[in-house]
Amino acid sequence: MRAAVGLLTGLSGGCAVDHGRLAEAQVLAIRDSVRTAIDGLQRHFAAAQWDSVTRIYADDPSFRWLEDGRVVARSAAEIRQYFAKMPAGTRIETTYHDTEILPIVPGVASVVTNFQTHMSDSTADPGFTFGGILTMTFVHRDDGWRILNGHASAPRPRSP
């Protein structure tokens, strides 16, 4: 189930941003529309609407999802297969903190956010909570903003 949380939460492009190429109105519009996409994803996860959740991942040959330093999905189809196997009654509630939405160029934005996720099911088991940082690259398609790639990782102590 822990992998599910990482999958629902996203990745950063690592590009330097030159907002001089974008008008301030474009920057604000991109931030607002990507925030709306993230809010929708959050609602769909909480409501266990897996079909709606998986629509936000881009069907693109360059799609990648990474967790803790490894590639865990190379296509949106892999993400869909993962969520199709989700047990009935599974709930995934994620909160985002200190979210930065960085417009790169029209139609591309990088998102960096801290996240806290609680996963549970319909049993008496209280579930578990985990968190870390999430980065995602969003691309705008005809049907809205989609996650092209993402990475979720949990904090670990640094080695000397």
Side-chain angles (χ1 to χ4, degrees):
M1 283 178 84
R2 180 176 171 175
V5 174
L7 290 172
L8 42 104
T9 46
L11 234 171
S12 172
C15 303
V17 179
D18 178 6
H19 289 305
R21 294 183 191 156
L22 297 173
E24 186 62 23
Q26 288 177 297
V27 169
L28 295 174
I30 291 170
R31 284 184 178 148
D32 184 57
S33 59
V34 169
R35 167 50 70 194
T36 298
I38 292 168
D39 291 347
L41 181 62
Q42 190 175 17
R43 282 190 311 277
H44 295 311
F45 268 113
Q49 296 170 333
W50 309 128
D51 287 343
S52 296
V53 165
T54 59
R55 274 193 212 97
I56 198 163
Y57 298 98
D59 279 312
D60 189 288
S62 61
F63 176 89
R64 298 291 182 272
W65 189 268
L66 300 91
E67 293 178 4
D68 294 323
R70 63 187 176 91
V71 176
V72 297
R74 294 183 177 277
S75 70
E78 285 184 54
I79 302 289
R80 283 190 288 278
Q81 290 170 358
Y82 179 82
F83 282 104
K85 296 175 186 174
M86 195 68 61
T90 299
R91 292 187 48 86
I92 302 172
E93 297 181 64
T94 300
T95 55
Y96 302 103
H97 305 281
D98 303 321
T99 301
E100 297 177 37
I101 300 170
L102 308 166
I104 306 297
V105 295
V108 179
S110 176
V111 174
V112 178
T113 188
N114 292 297
F115 74 94
Q116 189 77 23
T117 298
H118 181 78
M119 293 187 73
S120 62
D121 59 27
S122 57
T123 68
D125 183 342
F128 62 95
T129 300
F130 65 96
I133 194 151
L134 176 63
T135 61
M136 297 175 274
T137 301
F138 276 77
V139 292
H140 195 270
R141 302 290 194 237
D142 290 342
D143 56 349
W145 287 98
R146 301 292 176 251
I147 299 169
L148 180 62
N149 57 51
H151 182 264
S153 62
R156 293 190 179 27
R158 283 194 125 166
S159 301

